[in-house]
Amino acid sequence: MKIAVCAKQIPDPATPYELDPEHHWVVRPDDQVLDDTDRYGVEIALQLAEASEGSVTLFSMSPAGNLQGIRQALAMGADKAVIVSDPALKGSDALVTAKVLARAIEQEGFDLVIAGTESTDGSAGVLPQQLAELLGAPALTFAKAVEHDGDTIRIHRQTPDGYDEVEATLPAVLTVTAGVVEPRYPTFKGIMQAKQKPVEQLTAADLGFDAAEVGAAGSAQYVRSVTPVPARQAGEIVEDDGEAYRKILELLEQAKVV
Ligand SMILES: Cc1cc2nc3c(=O)[nH]c(=O)nc-3n(C[C@H](O)[C@H](O)[C@H](O)COP(=O)(O)OP(=O)(O)OC[C@H]3O[C@@H](n4cnc5c(N)ncnc54)[C@H](O)[C@@H]3O)c2cc1C
């Protein structure tokens, strides 16, 4: 089975994000990490590929930087990566990003595409469904368990009350919820091998896009304004005189937590 995994490189969430003051786009430094939510997709892909003698190719759209995020996913065991990186893509919204990734994936060929449900930096939660529409493949979303049998893919789709069983015939697009599997840690051997694995870098033109179709020019979505999150208020300290639990319970009730 030929598995494509969407692997987004994002600025390290442990450091404060910088926005460019003119367009409010996230400033993307050279050092970017693999979005944590995509580690689950990589893990599921590796498990499915191991069971079917398949291959796992990563697809990413972002400034390439030093490819640290992509190498993290290669070190887990993915076979190769295709990264679309081009100054012409600056300002591309979710739909343009989906169009770019769809064309790169189509060019490579696929049986299954796996993505996260929502990225950590953008959080739009729409790209995989756009990708499915563009690829003409069914979208199986919010998978918490995945089973592959011949040309059928079956999932447990997480719901507020439990799960639905959903199945589709391949090719298909799948989104996995964070926490569904334990992503493997790269071994030392994996880290060393990742340095030698093929990483193909493509431009928008390589995929047949005109400059007007991508980047800010091709995007309908833009950020009108941004507002800083209000500073957190100092908490209330309850001194324990042996009866502090009563006060804490009262405060929790006031906050409607209990
Ligand atoms: C106004 C605006 C400006 C932007 N400017 C830039 C820019 O200058 N440079 C740039 O590279 N991007 C840019 N983007 C694209 C952006 O970083 C996202 O990739 C895109 O909008 C998808 O949104 P999301 O991450 O919220 O998607 P979601 O729908 O939340 O993502 C769900 C899943 O889709 C996959 N996915 C999403 N994005 C990517 C990706 N890029 N590569 C691989 N997999 C992905 C991941 O598996 C992710 O978990 C811009 C977006 C907007 C709205």
Side-chain angles (χ1 to χ4, degrees), residues 6-9 23 25-26 28 35 37-38 59-63 89-95 97 101 114-129 221-223:
C6 293
K8 189 173 186 189
Q9 294 202 117
H23 304 289
W25 298 332
V26 173
R28 294 173 186 277
D35 189 342
T37 58
D38 286 331
F59 290 85
S60 197
M61 185 191 109
S62 73
L89 295 169
K90 204 169 165 62
S92 299
D93 65 10
L95 183 55
T97 308
L101 290 172
I114 303 184
T117 52
E118 184 181 315
S119 72
T120 305
D121 63 343
S123 310
V126 294
L127 186 132
Q129 291 81 347
Q221 190 186 6
Y222 62 95
V223 183

Side-chain angles (χ1 to χ4, degrees), residues 194-209:
K195 294 180 184 168
Q196 311 301 331
K197 288 185 177 173
V199 179
E200 187 181 357
Q201 290 199 34
L202 299 175
T203 62
D206 290 335
L207 294 169
F209 288 105

Side-chain angles (χ1 to χ4, degrees), residues 8-9 29 35 37 52 55 57 89 105 108 118 129 149 152 154-155 193 220 228 233 237:
K8 189 173 186 189
Q9 294 202 117
D35 189 342
T37 58
S52 66
S55 63
T57 304
L89 295 169
I105 292 169
E108 186 74 20
E118 184 181 315
Q129 291 81 347
D149 181 11
T152 302
R154 215 168 279 119
I155 67 158
Q193 283 175 340
Q233 312 233 315
I237 296 172

